[in-house]
Amino acid sequence: MAELDSLISRVGSRFARSEPRARARDYVSGLVAGLERKNGWTVAEHAGELGPQGMQRLLRKADWDIDGVRDDVRDYVVEHLGDREAVIAADETGFLKKGVKSAGVQRQYSGTAGRTENCQIGVFLAYASKHGHALIDREFYLPESWTTDRERCRDGGIPDEVGFATKPRQVIAMLERMLAAQVPFAWFTADEAYGQAGYLRDWLEERDVFYVMATRCDHQITTRADRTTRADALVAEFVASAWQRLSVGAGAHGPREFDWARRQIEGTWARGRGHWLLARRSIGNPNEIAYYLAYGPHNARLVDLAFTAGSRWHIEEAFQQAKGEAGLDHYQVRSWRAWYAHITLSMLAPAWLAASKAAATKGGFADSDAGMIALTLPEIRRLLVAFVLTHHHDPSHTWAWSRWRRRSQYQARLSHYRRRGHPLTECRCSTNC
C-alpha cells in the first residue's frame, strides 16, 4: 500500500480538507478490491463506513480539484511509463444508462454495446509505451440535444458555459493539455471517427504531431501526381511486392499479424515531413482491408506506421482493464460533476496498478519462470486484494449494511409506485416478486 499512500500524498494538495482526501484513498482502494459492483454503496461498505453518504458526497459536492487530480494522474503515468517512443491513442467508450435524467444521456451509438443504446459517452486519451499503458485524460461528450436545452443542463449540474463540442474538438482540448505538460511521445493514433476530421489532422500538422489515423474506404485521396481517387481504388493498384507481413504486437491468441502497404500522397513535404495512405490487409481474408492517413518524418518506415496504427489496441485494452479492474463503468451518479469525479478516480486506480506492474518488471519481480507468463495488471490487482485490500469487518457491520440496502430499496420501490399512482402492497411469496 506504500505506493498508493505515495500517490494519495501526491494528489493531497488538491483536497481542501483531510476527510475527503482520506475518503478518496478508500474510494480508490475499493475500486480495485475485487467487489462484484463498485459504486458508492459497495465501496463505502468495504471501507467500513456506516452508509454511502460520505462516498456520494465525495463525488457530488466535496471540495477538491478534480481537474488537478486528472493532471496528477497524467504526470504519475508519465513518471512510471514515460518513453519518447510512446504512442498517444484517442477513443471513446459508452456507459449504458436507464432513464433520461443523467447528464448527457440519450440514445446514441455506443461502440461498447456495438449498437445504438441509451447511454453516456466519454472521450479519452491513453498513453502506451514499452513499460505499459493507462488512461491519462477524459472529456464528457454532451450531445446537442442537451446544449440547446439549458434548463435540462442545469438539472444535470452542467455549467452554463459548457457548450457543444464535437468529439475531435474534445480530443484537441486534451492534446493541448498534454502538449503544454510536455508529455514525451512519438505518435498519435485514433479511429476513423477522428481520422475523418480534417480540422483535427490540420491541427496536428500545425503542431508537428505525427499521426496515423483510420479513414473510410471512400475517402478521396490526392496523390503526388495530382490524381484524386478513392482510398480503396488506390490500394487496389498496389503491386504484390508492396505488401509486407508485420506483427504489431502480441495478442491473446498469438502475434497480431497483418499484411501492410503504403503510398506517398499529396501533402506538405517541407521540414522533412511526409504524408501516406496506409493499408492493412487481413491474412485470412484479403478482401478485409483497413485504411489510414499518416503524417510523419519523411524517413518513417512502414513498420513505424503499422506499429502506430496497431497501438490503438492499447486504449481498448485500457478501457477493458479500467472497467473490469477499477469500476470505470460501475458508477451510479447522474450529475456532470459526479461523472468527472468518479471517472478521474477510476483512472487513478488502474494508473496505480500499471505503475506497480512497471515497478515489478523493472525490479525483476515480474520475470516469468518456465511455463508461466509474466505478471499482468489483473494479476497485480488480485495479489493486492489477497495480501493488502481484503477487510474483515465485524458481523454487525455486514448486517447493518444489509438492513440499510433493503430499507433504501424499499424507499425506491415506494417512490416508483407513487409516481405511477399505484399503492405499494408487500409481496410475501417465496420469490419476493
Side-chain angles (χ1 to χ4, degrees):
M1 294 292 282
E3 183 60 32
L4 177 59
D5 290 335
S6 175
L7 179 53
I8 295 301
S9 296
R10 184 182 192 128
V11 304
S13 63
R14 308 296 187 179
F15 294 82
R17 299 175 58 192
S18 61
E19 292 88 346
R21 180 169 64 247
R23 190 161 276 125
R25 183 190 186 281
D26 289 339
Y27 196 88
V28 173
S29 297
L31 289 176
V32 299
L35 305 175
E36 182 177 356
R37 292 291 297 173
K38 306 174 183 71
N39 53 51
W41 290 18
T42 59
V43 171
E45 182 179 5
H46 177 268
E49 299 193 6
L50 299 178
Q53 296 87 348
M55 292 299 176
Q56 293 170 344
R57 189 183 310 113
L58 174 69
L59 302 182
R60 296 173 182 171
K61 297 181 179 179
D63 188 6
W64 59 287
D65 183 357
I66 298 172
D67 286 346
V69 174
R70 171 205 65 200
D71 294 343
D72 291 338
V73 171
R74 178 200 62 218
D75 296 344
Y76 177 78
V77 168
V78 171
E79 180 179 309
H80 289 82
L81 309 182
D83 187 274
R84 295 194 177 279
E85 299 303 313
V87 175
I88 301 295
D91 203 355
E92 63 199 62
T93 190
F95 303 91
L96 302 184
K97 300 290 286 184
K98 295 180 180 179
V100 297
K101 298 295 186 181
S102 299
V105 71
Q106 72 169 20
R107 287 191 59 80
Q108 53 194 324
Y109 180 78
S110 167
T112 305
R115 59 185 181 274
T116 298
E117 286 282 1
N118 198 61
C119 65
Q120 297 169 315
I121 298 291
V123 183
F124 292 79
L125 290 187
Y127 188 87
S129 76
K130 61 184 179 182
H131 305 299
H133 56 262
L135 301 173
I136 62 169
D137 209 340
R138 75 291 178 267
E139 286 290 349
F140 185 89
Y141 176 68
L142 193 60
E144 284 188 279
S145 64
W146 277 76
T147 58
T148 56
D149 187 346
R150 298 318 303 187
E151 189 61 35
R152 189 184 186 194
C153 284
R154 294 185 190 101
D155 289 342
I158 301 167
D160 288 342
E161 63 270 18
V162 175
F164 175 72
T166 65
K167 295 166 187 174
R169 290 289 180 196
Q170 292 184 310
V171 167
I172 287 175
M174 291 187 285
L175 289 173
E176 284 180 331
R177 292 195 288 265
M178 191 197 66
L179 293 177
Q182 299 183 335
V183 172
F185 74 105
W187 294 85
F188 169 78
T189 187
D191 67 17
E192 68 179 52
Y194 304 92
Q196 283 289 301
Y199 59 86
L200 173 57
R201 301 197 308 271
D202 292 342
W203 186 92
L204 292 167
E205 292 179 26
E206 288 170 3
R207 288 150 185 81
D208 204 29
V209 174
F210 305 153
Y211 65 77
V212 177
M213 291 191 286
T215 191
R216 297 198 308 261
C217 63
D218 61 353
H219 187 91
Q220 292 295 314
I221 303 292
T222 302
T223 69
R224 299 195 73 189
D226 288 333
R227 181 168 65 97
T228 300
T229 186
R230 287 170 50 119
D232 54 0
L234 197 58
V235 169
E237 298 175 0
F238 288 2
V239 297
S241 60
W243 295 93
Q244 295 184 38
R245 186 156 299 176
L246 300 169
S247 171
V248 292
H253 304 289
R256 291 182 291 122
E257 288 186 324
F258 299 91
D259 290 331
W260 297 84
R262 65 174 176 175
R263 176 169 174 171
Q264 293 181 352
I265 59 176
E266 183 187 51
T268 303
W269 284 73
R271 301 179 298 169
R273 306 295 187 245
H275 294 77
W276 296 268
L277 171 65
L278 175 70
R280 185 197 71 194
R281 187 176 66 187
S282 171
I283 295 174
N285 181 6
N287 293 322
E288 185 180 309
I289 299 176
Y291 306 88
Y292 303 85
L293 299 173
Y295 164 81
H298 70 90
N299 59 352
R301 302 168 300 169
L302 176 62
V303 68
D304 298 326
L305 305 184
F307 178 81
T308 301
S311 293
R312 199 180 71 81
W313 169 77
H314 288 299
I315 193 169
E316 296 176 0
E317 186 177 40
F319 286 146
Q320 181 181 0
Q321 291 172 344
K323 291 180 178 182
E325 311 298 332
L328 187 76
D329 59 342
H330 287 200
Y331 60 87
Q332 291 181 330
V333 298
R334 289 183 174 182
S335 71
W336 166 270
R337 178 240 158 82
W339 185 91
Y340 273 105
H342 169 81
I343 294 297
T344 300
L345 294 176
S346 290
M347 288 166 50
L348 187 150
W352 168 37
L353 297 178
S356 299
K357 177 179 180 295
T361 301
K362 293 174 183 177
F365 298 108
D367 293 338
S368 57
D369 297 327
M372 183 188 306
I373 67 170
L375 284 172
T376 62
L377 190 144
E379 189 63 23
I380 288 285
R381 187 196 60 77
R382 293 188 191 99
L383 292 173
L384 284 170
V385 170
F387 294 132
V388 180
L389 297 175
T390 299
H391 293 173
H392 299 285
H393 296 299
D394 185 273
S396 63
H397 174 78
T398 302
W399 180 243
W401 265 94
S402 174
R403 291 175 60 83
W404 194 96
R405 278 193 297 271
R406 288 181 288 131
R407 188 179 300 113
S408 296
Q409 290 161 355
Y410 175 83
Q411 292 297 329
R413 181 184 295 179
L414 181 62
S415 175
H416 290 316
Y417 271 64
R418 285 175 174 170
R419 190 178 301 122
R420 290 166 175 76
H422 299 298
L424 177 62
T425 56
E426 287 289 341
C427 175
R428 300 296 182 183
C429 70
S430 59
T431 60
N432 192 30
C433 64

